[in-house]
């Protein structure tokens, strides 16, 4: 039995159903999951349910967990592996979508598109104050060089920036062409455009904080479409008040359940939205129609490669 606990492309359900019993419950609650997990051999998740030891201890037949997308912070991977449960994610499925979305946000902000459109709606035709900037000849900084960081660097390289400074604590030997393997301080001090592409772990939570911002030496365009908790929002607000940014482009927030924010969280969000340099989208960067398919397709491919399912599936990148 395979339990799918999140919305997914129909190709996933159809392919699993050829050889397995499939339960598709994208709105399943955590309590319901606890009740059903005992009979499940394969589990498909996203970011809604926490798969911790309490769940895994009841999963007596579970052989694998498939994560649609990137980021395994809600899965106790080490505990699962101790129980011989294979964990697979599909970061390559939405990396290009995130890269294109963030570059779209960047171009929008660099060319004053939201501001000038708002002015036109007021019948104001203002040109000089809305003069834009070009990416060409800017120094781009990338922190984190996994699937998404690489997709962002590859995509923005088409604009021929001066160079792309990349910092990754756990990778070396990747510098080539425009890509310059760099130390964190060099990235922060030189970049005109800075993109955060990190997974959320105990090490990266609030990695972007007041000390981080203090190392930035010039006004920058700051991009985060990875995880909201990587950035300490209160410190971001302080940096905004110090005019540290030309633009802050966010697809994620520390707490994305904005209908459930407490008083302090609402105050922080409202203050963030008051700044004209800020542009926010609701965690949709990796949610294109193409990525929706590719995440399911890459999960199927990964499961086949590991011998966990017996269905043959084509190359997702060609669809």
């Amino acid at each position: 039995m395979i339990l799918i606990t999140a919305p997914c492309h129909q190709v996933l359900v159809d392919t699993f159903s050829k050889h397995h019993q499939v339960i598709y419950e994208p709105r399943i609650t955590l309590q319901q999951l606890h009740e059903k997990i005992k009979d499940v051999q394969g589990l498909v998740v996203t970011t809604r349910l926490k798969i911790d030891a309490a769940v895994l201890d009841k999963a007596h037949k579970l052989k694998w967990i498939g994560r649609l997308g990137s980021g395994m912070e809600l899965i106790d991977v080490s505990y699962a592996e101790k129980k011989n449960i294979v964990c697979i994610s599909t970061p390559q499925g939405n990396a290009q979508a995130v890269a294109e979305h963030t570059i779209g946000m960047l171009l929008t902000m660099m060319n004053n598109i939201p501001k000038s459109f708002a002015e036109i709606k007021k019948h104001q035709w203002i040109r000089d104050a809305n003069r834009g900037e070009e990416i060409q000849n800017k120094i781009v900084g990338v922190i984190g060089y996994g699937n998404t960081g690489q997709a962002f660097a590859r995509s923005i390289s088409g604009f021929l920036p001066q160079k792309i400074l990349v910092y990754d604590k756990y990778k070396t030997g990747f510098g080539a062409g425009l890509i310059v393997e760099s130390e964190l301080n060099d990235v922060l001090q030189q970049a005109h455009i800075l993109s955060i592409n990190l997974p959320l772990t105990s090490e990266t939570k609030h990695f972007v904080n007041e000390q981080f911002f203090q190392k930035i030496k010039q006004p920058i365009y700051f991009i985060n479409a990875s995880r909201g908790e990587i950035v300490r929002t209160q410190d971001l607000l302080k940096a905004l008040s110090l005019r540290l940014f030309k633009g802050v482009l966010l697809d994620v927030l520390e707490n994305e359940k904005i209908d459930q924010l407490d008083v302090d969280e609402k105050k922080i969000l409202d203050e963030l939205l008051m700044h004209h340099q800020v542009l926010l989208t609701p965690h949709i960067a990796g949610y294109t129609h193409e990525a929706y398919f590719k995440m399911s397709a890459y999960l199927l491919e990964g499961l086949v490669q590991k011998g966990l399912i017996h269905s043959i599936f084509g190359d997702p990148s060609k669809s």
Side-chain angles (χ1 to χ4, degrees):
M1 179 190 298
I2 295 174
L3 175 61
I4 301 174
T5 67
C8 67
H9 195 281
Q10 189 62 36
V11 70
L12 192 65
V13 178
D14 291 345
T15 306
F16 280 150
S17 297
K18 291 177 183 178
H19 301 287
H20 307 276
Q21 179 186 354
V22 177
I23 299 177
Y24 180 59
E25 292 197 24
R27 296 182 180 178
I28 192 171
T29 65
L30 186 59
Q31 181 179 345
Q32 291 170 334
L33 176 63
H34 275 268
E35 294 168 357
K36 295 188 176 185
I37 196 66
K38 66 181 186 300
D39 297 318
V40 171
Q41 289 88 43
L43 179 66
V44 178
V45 300
T46 54
T47 57
R48 194 171 59 83
L49 299 172
K50 189 171 184 179
I51 311 303
D52 56 11
V55 173
L56 295 171
D57 281 339
K58 295 180 180 179
H60 306 300
K61 299 179 182 180
L62 192 62
K63 296 179 180 178
W64 57 264
I65 301 171
R67 161 76 163 95
L68 294 174
S70 60
M72 304 288 274
E73 64 268 17
L74 291 184
I75 303 172
D76 192 337
V77 175
S78 60
Y79 191 68
E81 290 175 345
K82 288 178 182 178
K83 297 176 76 68
N84 295 316
I85 299 168
V86 177
C87 298
I88 299 175
S89 64
T90 58
Q92 69 275 51
N94 63 357
Q96 185 61 30
V98 175
E100 292 187 16
H101 183 93
T102 52
I103 290 173
M105 294 180 79
L106 178 64
L107 291 169
T108 294
M109 186 61 72
M110 290 183 76
N111 291 281
N112 293 309
I113 293 173
K115 176 177 175 289
S116 58
F117 181 50
E119 290 166 353
I120 290 173
K121 288 196 290 185
K122 298 177 183 177
H123 291 190
Q124 298 172 341
W125 193 262
I126 302 171
R127 297 187 67 211
D128 284 351
N130 287 310
R131 194 185 300 271
E133 292 186 82
E134 299 174 8
I135 294 174
Q136 191 174 54
N137 295 324
K138 298 288 192 298
I139 296 175
V140 175
V142 177
I143 297 178
Y145 205 53
N147 286 276
T148 306
Q150 292 176 41
F152 176 80
R154 181 175 62 247
S155 298
I156 205 167
S157 67
F159 292 88
L160 295 178
Q162 183 177 334
K163 54 187 173 180
I164 303 173
L165 305 180
V166 179
Y167 168 74
D168 192 303
K169 183 176 179 179
Y170 298 102
K171 291 186 178 180
T172 58
F174 53 79
L178 289 173
I179 306 296
V180 180
E181 193 173 330
S182 307
E183 295 298 324
L184 179 60
N185 283 349
D186 292 332
V187 176
L188 297 180
Q189 290 174 13
Q190 297 181 45
H192 303 107
I193 297 164
L194 180 62
S195 177
I196 306 297
N197 304 280
L198 297 170
L200 178 61
T201 66
S202 58
E203 185 178 19
T204 63
K205 183 174 181 179
H206 290 169
F207 174 79
V208 179
N209 53 30
E210 185 174 4
Q211 291 72 35
F212 179 98
F213 291 128
Q214 286 173 348
K215 296 174 183 176
I216 295 173
K217 301 302 181 185
Q218 60 189 337
I220 64 168
Y221 291 94
F222 175 81
I223 306 167
N224 183 25
S226 51
R227 289 292 183 267
E229 289 177 271
I230 291 170
V231 179
R232 191 169 190 271
T233 312
Q234 288 179 315
D235 293 347
L236 176 64
L237 285 171
K238 183 176 180 179
L240 271 163
S241 69
L242 297 174
R243 302 179 183 273
L244 191 58
F245 306 107
K246 290 184 175 181
V248 173
L249 316 173
L250 305 174
D251 184 55
V252 290
L253 291 172
E254 282 195 81
N255 186 352
E256 295 177 359
K257 298 177 180 179
I258 61 173
D259 59 337
Q260 300 176 26
L261 301 181
D262 61 32
V263 174
D264 291 335
E265 289 172 327
K266 285 180 182 178
K267 183 179 178 181
I268 289 172
L269 177 59
D270 289 341
E271 188 175 344
L272 189 64
L273 295 172
M274 285 174 57
H275 290 273
H276 71 270
Q277 305 103 312
V278 173
L279 183 61
L280 274 168
T281 52
H283 205 151
I284 56 172
Y287 207 55
T288 63
H289 294 286
E290 292 86 351
Y292 195 56
F293 167 77
K294 286 192 287 186
M295 287 186 289
S296 291
Y298 275 115
L299 177 57
L300 290 167
E301 185 182 67
L303 291 169
V304 169
Q305 288 176 350
K306 290 182 178 294
L308 293 165
I309 62 172
H310 304 289
S311 178
I312 303 301
F313 200 82
D315 184 353
S317 67
K318 295 180 180 178
S319 300

